[in-house]
Amino acid sequence: MVLFFVAGLLQNLASAQISVISERLAQGAVHRWEYGARAEALLELNAPTYSVVSFNVVLPPHSIPSNITSALGEVFTIAHNIVVARSLSNITGPQPLIADTSAGDPASIGVSVLLANWTGQGALDGLDYAGAAQDQLHYLFQNVSKTKDGAFSRRVDQLQLWSDCVYMVPPFLAYYGVLTQNQTILGEAYTQIRLYRKYLRDTAASNLWKHIQLGNAWATAGMIRSQQNDLAHWVHEIHGAMYSHINSNGLFYNYADNNTTFYDASSTVTSSTALAGTGTTVSGLLHFTPEGWLTPVVNPYSYGVQGSDSPEAQAFILELQAAWRDWVADGAHGTNSAREARPHVLMIGVILPVLHWLMIVIT
Ligand SMILES: *[C@@H]1O[C@H](CO)[C@@H](O)[C@H](O)[C@H]1NC(C)=O
Ligand SMILES: *[C@@H]1O[C@H](CO)[C@@H](O)[C@H](O)[C@H]1NC(C)=O
Ligand SMILES: *[C@@H]1O[C@H](CO)[C@@H](O)[C@H](O)[C@H]1NC(C)=O
Ligand SMILES: *[C@@H]1O[C@H](CO)[C@@H](O)[C@H](O)[C@H]1NC(C)=O
Ligand SMILES: *[C@@H]1O[C@H](CO)[C@@H](O)[C@H](O)[C@H]1NC(C)=O
Ligand SMILES: *[C@@H]1O[C@H](CO)[C@@H](O)[C@H](O)[C@H]1NC(C)=O
Ligand SMILES: *[C@@H]1O[C@H](CO)[C@@H](O)[C@H](O)[C@H]1NC(C)=O
C-alpha cells in the first residue's frame, strides 16, 4: 500500500507475471512448511471460494464449480501426496501430517487435506483425508508441548514459541472448526493467536513481535484468517509497530528495528511489482530476478541470513495479488485517502477482506 502510494499508481500484475511467479513457487516449495503456504496461496489466488479468508459467511460447496476444477487440482495434488506418504509409516492414531520436529508446520498442510475431504476426493483415490486431518488435530492437542495456558509450542518436544506458528496452526484450526461446525475448535484458533500475542508482543519495541525473521509477517497472515475485531486490532498493532521503521526506499530491514541487517523485499514486492505492469514477464519488475524470484529476501533455511530465493516470498506475492484483486472488486475503498495520507495512516483505511495482503508490506 505504501509503495503503491509512493508510486502514485495502482496496478495489477499481468496474468503472465502471475504464472511465472506461481511456477517459481511450485519449483521452490519442497519443504514441509512450504507445501502448506503454497496450497493456501493457490486457494486465495485461484479458488477464493475455498480459501480460509473467504467463506466466513457460508460454507463452501461440496461439489467444485467447473471453472476452478483445474485450479484446485494443484492443491489436491499436495494433499494427496502428503496423505499417501503418511500412510507408508504404518503409524495409527494421533500423528502429524508429515513427520517433523516442528509442531506447527505440518498443520499448515491441513487446510488442503480438509478441503480434499470436504469435496470428496477420498472417493476418487481411496485415501482417508478426514482421518488424516483428525489425527493431525488430535496430535496438536495430545502430543505437542504447551505453555501452562495452552499455547502450542513450535517444537513437539520442547517449549518454544515462534511467531510463524500463527500462520501455520490457527488457519487449520479455523478451517477445521468451520467445516465440522465445531465451535470449540474454531475458538481454539482465536485462543492460540491471543496467547501468541501475549508471549511474543514486545511492548519495549513499540509492539513489534519478538522473534525470528518474517515473524511479524507470518503472524499477520495467520491472524487475518479468523477475521475478528480483536484480530484486526492486533494486525493494526503490528502495522503500527512496523511502519515507524519503513525506509525511504520503501523496504524494511530483515529485523525491522535493526539497521545493520539487510533489506527484505518480500514487502516491497508488492509495490514495485506493480509498476511495470504491462510486461509479459517479470523481468521488467523491480526486486525480481529475471527468472521471477522476488529479491532480496531472507534465506528461508537460515533466518538472519540474506538468501537468493524464497518460496514463501513467492506465496506472499500471490496472496497480495489475490487481495489486491478482491480489494479492487470491492470498490478500492480508501484509494484517495491512500494517496494523501501518510503511510501508517493508510493502513487504517484498508478493510478486512484486503488485510491479508498487508502482510506482504510488513514482511
Ligand atoms: C467461477 O464462476 C463463478 C460463478 O459464475 C464466478 O463468481 C467466479 O468468479 C468464477 N471464478 C473464477 C476463478 O473464475
Ligand atoms: C508398513 O507395513 C508394511 C506391511 O506390513 C511393511 O512392508 C512396511 O515395511 C512398513 N513400513 C514401515 C515404514 O515400517
Ligand atoms: C501421541 O501421544 C500418544 C499418547 O500419549 C502416544 O501413544 C502416541 O505414540 C503419540 N504419537 C506420536 C506420533 O508421537
Ligand atoms: C469431511 O467431509 C464431510 C462432508 O463431506 C464432513 O461431514 C466431515 O465433517 C468432514 N470431516 C472433517 C474432519 O473435516
Ligand atoms: C469439537 O471438538 C472437540 C475437540 O476435538 C471435541 O472434544 C468435541 O467433542 C467436538 N464437539 C462436537 C460437537 O463434535
Ligand atoms: C541505525 O540505527 C541507530 C540506532 O537506532 C542510529 O543511531 C543510526 O544513526 C542508524 N544508522 C543509519 C545509517 O541509519
Ligand atoms: C542487529 O543485528 C546485528 C546483526 O546484523 C546483531 O549483531 C546485533 O546484535 C543486532 N542488534 C540488536 C540491538 O539486536
Side-chain angles (χ1 to χ4, degrees), residues 46-102:
N46 299 325
T49 314
Y50 288 99
S51 113
V52 183
V53 291
S54 302
F55 64 83
N56 53 349
V57 182
V58 286
L59 290 172
H62 289 289
S63 67
I64 300 164
S66 58
N67 62 352
I68 53 174
T69 304
S70 87
L72 282 179
E74 292 182 272
V75 176
F76 291 146
T77 299
I78 294 171
H80 174 91
N81 292 342
I82 292 291
V83 175
V84 166
R86 167 190 181 275
S87 66
L88 298 178
S89 74
N90 296 342
I91 298 171
T92 56
Q95 60 186 291
L97 283 163
I98 184 168
D100 195 24
T101 53
S102 159

Side-chain angles (χ1 to χ4, degrees), residues 1 10 12 19 35 57 68 95 119 128 134 160 174 219 222 285 310 313 345 351-352 361:
M1 192 73 172
L10 303 172
N12 220 359
S19 298
Y35 296 125
V57 182
I68 53 174
Q95 60 186 291
T119 56
D128 178 13
Q134 186 180 46
Q160 280 187 17
L285 301 179
S310 162
V345 177
I351 49 170
L352 265 180
V361 178

Side-chain angles (χ1 to χ4, degrees), residues 75-296:
V75 176
F76 291 146
T77 299
I78 294 171
H80 174 91
N81 292 342
I82 292 291
V83 175
V84 166
R86 167 190 181 275
S87 66
L88 298 178
S89 74
N90 296 342
I91 298 171
T92 56
Q95 60 186 291
L97 283 163
I98 184 168
D100 195 24
T101 53
S102 159
D105 296 348
S108 71
I109 308 166
V111 169
S112 63
V113 173
L114 287 166
L115 179 56
N117 167 63
W118 185 255
T119 56
Q121 302 308 301
L124 305 175
D125 63 13
L127 295 176
D128 178 13
Y129 291 104
Q134 186 180 46
D135 286 348
Q136 170 67 71
L137 181 80
H138 290 165
Y139 184 75
L140 281 172
F141 285 108
Q142 294 171 26
N143 294 71
V144 171
S145 305
K146 292 174 202 60
T147 60
K148 278 197 194 106
D149 48 7
F152 295 133
S153 169
R154 187 203 181 254
R155 291 184 66 93
V156 176
D157 53 347
Q158 36 178 281
L159 208 48
Q160 280 187 17
L161 303 183
W162 289 40
S163 55
D164 46 346
C165 276
V166 172
Y167 185 86
M168 300 300 179
V169 177
F172 169 64
L173 296 172
Y175 212 74
Y176 203 118
V178 169
L179 291 183
T180 62
Q181 302 280 287
N182 185 315
Q183 282 293 338
T184 310
I185 299 173
L186 186 59
E188 190 63 28
Y190 171 85
T191 300
Q192 289 298 318
I193 293 169
R194 180 174 62 74
L195 293 172
Y196 263 75
R197 173 174 173 272
K198 171 182 152 187
Y199 286 110
L200 296 180
R201 186 172 61 128
D202 186 358
T203 49
S206 340
N207 292 333
L208 279 175
W209 281 32
K210 285 177 194 157
H211 217 355
I212 75 170
Q213 107 291 9
L214 295 179
N216 287 279
W218 283 115
T220 311
M223 284 180 191
I224 299 307
R225 288 170 168 70
S226 296
Q227 297 192 346
Q228 297 183 17
N229 288 339
D230 279 352
L231 302 178
H233 169 69
W234 298 339
V235 169
H236 278 149
E237 185 176 83
I238 291 179
H239 289 156
M242 287 295 286
Y243 270 92
S244 63
H245 298 292
I246 196 163
N247 294 288
S248 56
N249 63 358
L251 292 168
F252 291 105
Y253 292 112
N254 183 41
Y255 286 81
D257 61 352
N258 186 334
N259 62 18
T260 71
T261 62
F262 54 89
Y263 290 120
D264 180 11
S266 303
S267 51
T268 324
V269 98
T270 65
S271 58
S272 23
T273 51
L275 304 179
T278 54
T280 52
T281 72
V282 292
S283 59
L285 301 179
L286 288 172
H287 300 299
F288 279 94
T289 67
E291 295 76 32
W293 292 103
L294 180 65
T295 188

